[in-house]
Amino acid sequence: MSAETTHIIDELKRALGDDAVLTGGEIGDRHKSDASRTGLSLPKAVLRPASVEAVAAALRICNAHRQSVVPQGGMTGLAGGANPATGDFALSLERLAGVEEIDAAAQTMTVKAGTPLEAAQKAAEAAGFLLAIDLGARGSCQIGGNLSTNAGGIRVIRNGVTRDNVLGLEAVLADGTVLTMLNKMVKNNTGYDLRQLFIGAEGTLGVITRAVLRLKPLPQGRATALCALNTYDDVIRLLQRAQRELSGLSAFEAMWRSYFSFTAAAENIRLFDSEPDFAVIIETEGAEQSAPLEAFLEGVLGDGLIADALIAQSEKERQSFWMVREGRSLDRLPALVNLDVSLAIGSLGAFAESCDAALKARFPAAHVSFFGHIGDSNLHIAVSVEAAGDSDLHEIDEIVYRLVASFGGSVSAEHGIGTLKRDYLGFSRKPEELEVMRRIKLALDPHGILNPGKVLPS
Ligand code: FAD
């Protein structure tokens, strides 16, 4: 360790306490990479502040020494955003955790950034409310990470993305300035909405320390169905009918045949007699349980819009539908690449066909499958190429993102940009937009110490 680094670490230990600064062998492997498993270096030090004041002190010291800092939440991100580069310090939010307040009248909860999402959901539920942010990584991801990636998930069709569930937040700037904007009001038109700058910024503009989240009444019942369909046009028509006729629609998840057959077989779950070209999970929430969904399915079956449908008769059956959709078994495929893109809903079907053809033209033996949150225009693409090397993985990205650009889509729907999509940001954002982003970054972090190399192409 250089004399300069030792000096910074001594100063940090004096300000935060010895136990809040880890170095050398004290640094666990989990600080190396997020869930994309692309991180290569351990950070030089891990800072573990337990208060907002300590976060501010840590950043003030690092900024004065031009020491780069990577904020780390639950490390479940899929874009490499929390991965340290050689020489970075990590700033872990894990000790800044807990629910500060649930305000029943305002229907809000104020939460520290390091609180795991599931813990916040449980606290809301215990108070009779629903915290509507929800994703598969709920047990490990943190509220600060959810805000910083503007996470999506399976309930967006009903509740919006994370951004739509945040009323206020607190963030610490690179120079240690604390911006406390813990607003609880729905309406607040008092100039620029600074809160939105930090949501989806992936830790490049400030460190989020607290958030005020919107709560909703806890739904009394839930019903889940799995539908079989023949064409993507039918999937769109089903979505439109469901949005018109099912007031409690809370999930609409489509799986293309390639995905559904693979994951159902891998989980040893047989749902339909013959494999459908498209399978769709429809879930509703509300006071009544399955009656409105049953009536809806009878209608669309009678109109020939769907070929078949199953309604979950038990929690176990419901879990089996979701198990197929969550597709954990895909991880068994070699060199799996998960891509997350967004396109206008009407063009997702044509895009998937072109994408499948383009990938297989280059990699004939590739396993390519599609699934997604169709109501939110979000498609996930899982690609596996046996014995793929780095250049193959790069080529897969190139093929898919060029096609996304030609369809006028977005290279990231919900996972963010991090490092993995940084070089493709220009496929979806214009040079003028990138220039404004650079100016914002320079204004808030003039020395570029916060998560350098993430989001913005150099
Ligand atoms: P991290 O991975 O630790 O960090 C993510 C980014 O945020 C990094 O750039 C980091 O520097 C920054 N950051 C973290 N905390 C802070 C903070 N307090 N202040 C400033 N910056 C910060 N994502 C979806 O959108 N939808 C899904 O449905 C979904 N499902 C998933 C399922 C699984 C099984 C897994 C493994 C991941 C899934 N993800 C999903 C991706 C991931 O869970 C989300 O991106 C999540 O919001 C990341 O939270 P985290 O706390 O793990 O953040």
Side-chain angles (χ1 to χ4, degrees):
M1 200 180 283
S2 71
E4 168 69 358
T5 305
T6 309
H7 173 67
I8 303 172
I9 285 172
D10 286 346
E11 205 176 329
L12 284 162
K13 282 188 173 170
R14 279 197 299 277
L16 311 184
D18 282 356
D19 61 339
V21 183
L22 308 180
T23 54
E26 297 166 332
I27 300 176
D29 243 20
R30 71 201 164 88
H31 294 288
K32 190 191 229 174
S33 183
D34 66 9
S36 71
R37 297 193 206 129
T38 52
L40 300 173
S41 326
L42 279 175
K44 247 184 337 187
V46 176
L47 315 181
R48 301 167 67 240
S51 67
V52 180
E53 295 71 31
V55 173
L59 288 181
R60 206 175 303 119
I61 292 167
C62 289
N63 193 51
H65 292 279
R66 312 292 185 255
Q67 169 60 53
S68 54
V69 177
V70 185
Q72 292 191 336
M75 301 301 278
T76 69
L78 293 167
N83 295 350
T86 317
D88 287 345
F89 282 12
L91 190 151
S92 166
L93 277 301
E94 65 197 347
R95 293 210 304 166
L96 191 69
V99 174
E100 282 191 348
E101 184 203 27
I102 293 186
D103 182 333
Q107 302 205 48
T108 60
M109 74 192 301
T110 306
V111 191
K112 294 183 195 168
T115 311
L117 172 61
E118 196 169 40
Q121 288 174 331
K122 285 190 174 149
E125 203 173 319
F129 290 104
L130 172 77
L131 170 60
I133 304 167
D134 192 23
L135 43 144
R138 64 183 75 77
S140 312
C141 64
Q142 299 176 359
I143 295 297
N146 299 148
L147 265 65
S148 300
T149 55
N150 186 27
I154 51 179
R155 310 262 165 236
V156 170
I157 196 168
R158 185 165 175 79
N159 302 310
V161 290
T162 294
R163 193 184 290 287
D164 302 311
N165 292 279
V166 179
L167 284 178
L169 60 74
E170 180 177 71
V172 184
L173 301 183
D175 66 1
T177 304
V178 180
L179 289 181
T180 301
M181 307 175 289
L182 297 171
N183 168 71
K184 287 184 182 177
M185 287 90 75
V186 174
K187 292 187 175 174
N188 185 348
N189 279 348
T190 47
Y192 304 145
D193 190 347
L194 299 179
R195 135 194 82 151
Q196 298 297 353
L197 275 182
F198 300 96
I199 303 176
E202 299 179 54
T204 59
L205 299 181
V207 174
I208 296 172
T209 44
R210 287 188 287 174
V212 179
L213 306 173
R214 289 178 98 144
L215 298 177
K216 300 198 164 177
L218 206 53
Q220 300 301 305
R222 175 181 282 157
T224 312
L226 180 72
C227 306
L229 298 94
N230 295 323
T231 67
Y232 183 71
D233 282 348
D234 287 345
V235 174
I236 298 181
R237 282 202 288 273
L238 182 67
L239 171 65
Q240 287 168 347
R241 285 275 296 265
Q243 284 174 319
R244 226 174 12 241
E245 295 174 28
L246 289 170
S247 59
L249 182 67
S250 59
F252 188 97
E253 297 287 309
M255 295 166 266
W256 273 242
R257 177 199 272 267
S258 51
Y259 184 88
F260 182 76
S261 341
F262 179 88
T263 60
E267 300 292 353
N268 209 9
I269 298 175
R270 189 163 174 78
L271 293 160
F272 295 113
D273 290 341
S274 60
E275 280 170 0
D277 285 324
F278 292 88
V280 170
I281 292 181
I282 296 182
E283 201 157 88
T284 57
E285 290 172 353
E288 294 175 83
Q289 299 222 333
S290 57
L293 184 57
E294 272 171 32
F296 171 77
L297 291 174
E298 266 172 36
V300 289
L301 201 55
D303 295 343
L305 192 50
I306 61 174
D308 202 353
L310 304 167
I311 287 210
Q313 302 296 338
S314 63
E315 181 56 24
K316 189 165 170 240
E317 215 170 340
R318 176 178 171 269
Q319 296 290 346
S320 71
F321 298 173
W322 280 109
M323 199 183 280
V324 174
R325 160 60 185 84
E326 278 168 11
R328 299 268 158 87
S329 48
L330 282 172
D331 287 338
R332 295 178 211 156
L333 289 169
L336 184 73
V337 183
N338 278 305
L339 299 130
D340 155 58
V341 301
S342 210
L343 295 113
I345 293 175
S347 52
L348 283 173
F351 171 83
E353 275 177 34
S354 304
C355 187
D356 189 62
L359 285 167
K360 289 194 176 143
R362 172 62 188 86
F363 302 104
H367 186 281
V368 184
S369 60
F370 301 90
F371 61 106
H373 319 291
I374 296 307
D376 323 328
S377 59
N378 183 181
L379 188 71
H380 292 302
I381 309 157
V383 186
S384 160
V385 175
E386 190 95 50
D390 281 352
S391 68
D392 295 326
L393 299 179
H394 181 69
E395 225 180 313
I396 292 169
D397 284 348
E398 282 276 332
I399 292 170
V400 174
Y401 297 141
R402 281 199 187 285
L403 202 57
V404 168
S406 75
F407 272 74
S410 160
V411 296
S412 177
E414 58 178 8
H415 293 166
I417 297 296
T419 49
L420 299 185
K421 296 190 179 183
R422 185 190 54 203
D423 298 339
Y424 303 103
L425 188 57
F427 285 22
S428 297
R429 304 300 293 261
K430 301 201 173 53
E432 298 80 6
E433 294 178 281
L434 294 176
E435 180 50 29
V436 172
M437 289 188 204
R438 281 195 193 95
R439 283 191 224 164
I440 293 171
K441 169 77 177 165
L442 197 63
L444 296 188
D445 179 17
H447 302 301
I449 64 147
L450 273 177
N451 222 357
K454 311 292 165 56
V455 181
L456 286 172
S458 46

